[in-house]
Amino acid sequence: MPSPLPVLAITSGDPAGVGPDLCAALPHHPWAARLVVLGDRDMIAARVHALAPGIAVVDHAPEAVPVPGSLEVIHVPLAAPAVPGQLDAANGRYVLDILDRAIAGCKSGEFAGMVTAPVHKGIICDAGVPFSGHTEYLAEATATPLVVMMLVGGGLRVALATTHLPLKDVSAAITRPLLTETLRILDSDLRRNFGRAAPRILVAGLNPHAGEGGHMGMEEIEVITPVLDALRAEGMQLIGPLPADTLFVPHTLEKGDAVLAMFHDQGLPVLKHASFGGGVNVTLGLPIIRTSVDHGTALDLAGTGRADPGSLFAAVELAISMVAAKARA
């Protein structure tokens, strides 16, 4: 009889990076879910044998009862042999094959959600596939017009109005339609996947001192405040725009369930300081649940046994809690 626990897909990421190492640590922890690693079986087995001897690598069989202390794998074959620490563009397509298999399983209901190990964007692009990141790839694969990146850790939830943009382009990107839809997605996901019946969202201003009444910029007056006023009239609980330099203090943070920062380096340095090694990247707005580690491939650590699985463990725990919240909603 299959396990009654929810099944989560764990993508093993770039085979040259620490993703397979982190997956090798998963059987050491008791999870309230059935974890299935996606990747090349032989490569994963070799990494497990080197780093976690005694852990059995078995093929995932949905109808079978999981064996405690084993690592279940769905085989996705490598294009070329993988060496820890040595990137190879020949395996760029393989990394996307893993993602495609996880996405298909989430869409079909085979998986309750997916957790992603790190990939190397440059190698995928070198393989001839334009790739700007997991978030954008998942949005396209699920036909989602807008997704929102949120990092969770250290007691914080920080979402971003804009993500990987040069600073000079941020102001023009923050439009009333974008900010409106971003806040709708954040509010909806906090309700559906985080169990917040009436989410309180702290919204940062863009400029120093939130514009200082227009003396340090007009974006707060012309864009941010009108959007917040309109959404408050619909019933959303929005606080701001707040100066970013005083938003991230305890007595302000305790007033909210999440923060919306206007750009990448406005919010994420604070969160990563609070949660380094244990932060989680969440993609909001998707029809599926997806969490991820908040770090890169760490090529210098691959195959050494020194990679810290803390962020992957936190990503799995958060995905499990999101699945449970969604089921209760």
Side-chain angles (χ1 to χ4, degrees), residues 155-168:
L156 303 176
R157 300 185 186 95
V158 179
L160 302 177
T162 63
T163 53
H164 301 119
L165 287 178
L167 195 56
K168 65 182 179 61

Side-chain angles (χ1 to χ4, degrees), residues 136-313:
E136 295 81 2
Y137 191 83
L138 288 163
E140 182 176 354
T142 57
T144 304
L146 179 66
V147 293
V148 176
M149 178 187 292
M150 184 169 77
L151 275 288
V152 178
L156 303 176
R157 300 185 186 95
V158 179
L160 302 177
T162 63
T163 53
H164 301 119
L165 287 178
L167 195 56
K168 65 182 179 61
D169 297 334
V170 169
S171 177
I174 299 173
T175 63
R176 291 192 188 189
L178 173 78
L179 194 56
T180 298
E181 188 58 24
T182 297
L183 282 163
R184 290 191 195 281
I185 290 170
L186 178 55
D187 180 83
S188 174
D189 270 56
L190 287 170
R191 294 172 187 270
R192 180 183 60 183
N193 293 332
F194 289 85
R196 296 295 185 268
R200 302 164 300 159
I201 301 172
L202 306 172
V203 181
L206 173 65
N207 296 295
H209 301 179
E212 195 79 61
H215 295 288
M216 293 188 182
M218 294 297 293
E219 288 85 355
E220 287 78 11
I221 293 172
E222 295 177 350
V223 178
I224 301 174
T225 296
V227 168
L228 300 189
D229 287 343
L231 292 176
R232 287 188 191 107
E234 296 179 9
M236 284 193 200
Q237 297 192 56
L238 306 173
I239 303 169
L242 301 171
D245 62 345
T246 55
L247 189 162
F248 291 100
V249 296
H251 77 269
T252 301
L253 289 171
E254 68 186 13
K255 299 174 184 176
D257 297 300
V259 172
L260 179 66
M262 291 297 114
F263 57 95
H264 187 279
D265 282 13
Q266 184 184 56
L268 296 196
V270 179
L271 182 134
K272 292 197 175 186
H273 174 74
S275 66
F276 189 73
V280 181
N281 185 345
V282 186
T283 307
L284 308 180
L286 294 172
I288 62 177
I289 288 173
R290 180 260 175 162
T291 67
S292 179
V293 298
D294 73 342
H295 58 74
T297 49
L299 298 173
D300 58 321
L301 298 179
T304 68
R306 301 198 312 270
D308 183 351
S311 184
L312 181 64
F313 281 22

Side-chain angles (χ1 to χ4, degrees), residues 9 11 36 38-39 60 62 74-76 93-108 110-111 114 137:
T11 66
V36 181
L38 277 57
H60 173 59
I74 290 178
H75 178 58
V76 179
R93 181 66 249 182
Y94 157 81
V95 174
L96 297 183
D97 289 343
I98 293 174
L99 285 177
D100 291 342
R101 176 66 180 86
I103 292 165
C106 288
K107 285 181 174 180
S108 70
E110 177 186 8
F111 307 129
M114 61 188 291
Y137 191 83

Side-chain angles (χ1 to χ4, degrees), residues 192-194 282 289 291 317-327:
R192 180 183 60 183
N193 293 332
F194 289 85
V282 186
I289 288 173
T291 67
E317 290 283 13
L318 183 58
I320 292 170
S321 71
M322 291 173 68
V323 169
K326 185 177 181 179

